[in-house]
Amino acid sequence: MLLKYLFAILAFLLPVLLVPAQAADITGTAKVREGDQVTVGSTRIRLGGIDAPSVDQLCLNNNGERWTCGVAARDELIKHAENKTWACHVRQANPDRRGRIVARCEVDGEDIQKWMVRNGWALSYMRFSHDYDDDEKAAREAKAGMWQGAFIAPWDWRVRNKKTTILGTAKPPENAHAVLLASASGSVAPSPDCTIKGNVNRAGECIYHTPKSRWYAKIEMKISKGTRWFCSVDEAEAAGCRETKR
């Protein structure tokens, strides 16, 4: 009789035990790292369903001039949401290959991924989700953000080559591929406003040099050397760099 009673309890509890635990929401203020990556507390979060340009990605504006669209995407997210309350709902059980939690985030109740895509600072990541397809269409029609000119989809830019498709509403100039395939970490400053040089010394420290720095002209900007251009001292220090002592 006791055994029969125990079996009855097990049969009742088994469906509950087999249901995976729901990951807890992550809440708090966020530190924006890129247009689709933030840190809340000690947790790194990848905004799911969208793909934003990396901070060293270049785009062309409607005059055919290059600009640091990756930096702009990050900075627009900072201005809109960094000091507000974030609530991030985990979308997959395991972190991505870079150890980030993939989540859908709300900022003071607003779907922040939707805001990024609708304002042209990110694309709907259709490989994984179609949640923001309509928002991308609206941004394209409004020529918002990156859609004002010409650019490469962030996922294509990471593996770019001469056959990479150029997106945008403007007719790209003849040299568009050469510009868009380049990086803001390359040999030429991405814009007249982004002339601070960052390099890594032998101790592994990131050092930044303003045009007035003693060794500025001697710093050779090469992606292979880990160099990078910054648009301001604040940006360089936010990336973990310190000013040169010379």
Side-chain angles (χ1 to χ4, degrees):
M1 182 67 180
L2 179 59
L3 188 60
K4 184 177 180 181
Y5 179 69
L6 290 175
F7 274 122
I9 294 176
L10 183 60
F12 175 77
L13 291 177
L14 190 58
V16 177
L17 295 173
L18 291 177
V19 175
Q22 183 71 30
D25 289 349
I26 302 165
T27 60
T29 55
K31 181 68 177 178
V32 175
R33 301 300 182 185
E34 294 200 353
D36 54 18
Q37 180 178 318
V38 303
T39 301
V40 177
S42 60
T43 304
R44 293 188 300 137
I45 298 172
R46 172 68 163 83
L47 303 182
I50 70 171
D51 202 9
S54 300
V55 290
D56 58 348
Q57 182 171 344
L58 299 174
C59 296
L60 293 173
N61 64 20
N62 56 7
N63 293 320
E65 300 166 333
R66 62 183 183 170
W67 61 293
T68 50
C69 53
V71 171
R74 180 201 62 192
D75 289 351
E76 289 299 319
L77 181 57
I78 289 173
K79 287 192 291 185
H80 186 71
E82 189 168 64
N83 293 320
K84 299 179 181 178
T85 300
W86 288 59
C88 296
H89 317 292
V90 179
R91 297 188 62 164
Q92 62 186 46
N94 298 316
D96 68 6
R97 60 186 179 83
R98 293 172 61 185
R100 301 170 299 185
I101 300 298
V102 179
R104 180 194 293 268
C105 295
E106 295 176 355
V107 179
D108 287 352
E110 176 184 41
D111 184 332
I112 199 62
Q113 279 102 311
K114 183 182 183 72
W115 185 89
M116 287 292 289
V117 175
R118 187 162 282 263
N119 285 278
W121 300 118
L123 299 186
S124 175
Y125 210 168
M126 298 180 189
R127 176 182 171 188
F128 298 101
S129 168
H130 292 280
D131 291 349
Y132 305 105
D133 290 3
D134 290 343
D135 301 294
E136 181 179 306
K137 181 180 178 182
R140 184 170 62 248
E141 292 174 350
K143 300 181 182 180
M146 294 183 291
W147 293 101
Q148 65 177 277
F151 66 97
I152 293 172
W155 52 83
D156 283 337
W157 189 84
R158 291 192 287 270
V159 291
R160 57 198 183 279
N161 57 55
K162 293 182 179 180
K163 295 182 180 179
T164 300
T165 301
I166 295 177
L167 303 176
T169 56
K171 182 179 179 180
E174 292 183 3
N175 68 335
H177 262 110
V179 175
L180 295 176
L181 294 176
S183 164
S185 300
S187 59
V188 180
S191 81
D193 298 322
C194 301
T195 56
I196 296 175
K197 293 180 176 181
N199 73 311
V200 179
N201 66 14
R202 292 179 181 177
E205 294 179 291
C206 179
I207 312 296
Y208 70 84
H209 307 256
T210 67
K212 295 180 179 180
S213 299
R214 179 181 177 183
W215 301 111
Y216 183 84
K218 294 181 181 281
I219 302 298
E220 192 176 9
M221 301 299 284
K222 287 187 176 182
I223 299 174
S224 60
K225 290 187 175 182
T227 57
R228 179 179 161 190
W229 296 96
F230 294 105
C231 302
S232 69
V233 168
D234 287 343
E235 181 184 331
E237 292 180 347
C241 301
R242 67 164 174 83
E243 186 175 12
T244 179
K245 296 177 181 178
R246 301 181 184 182

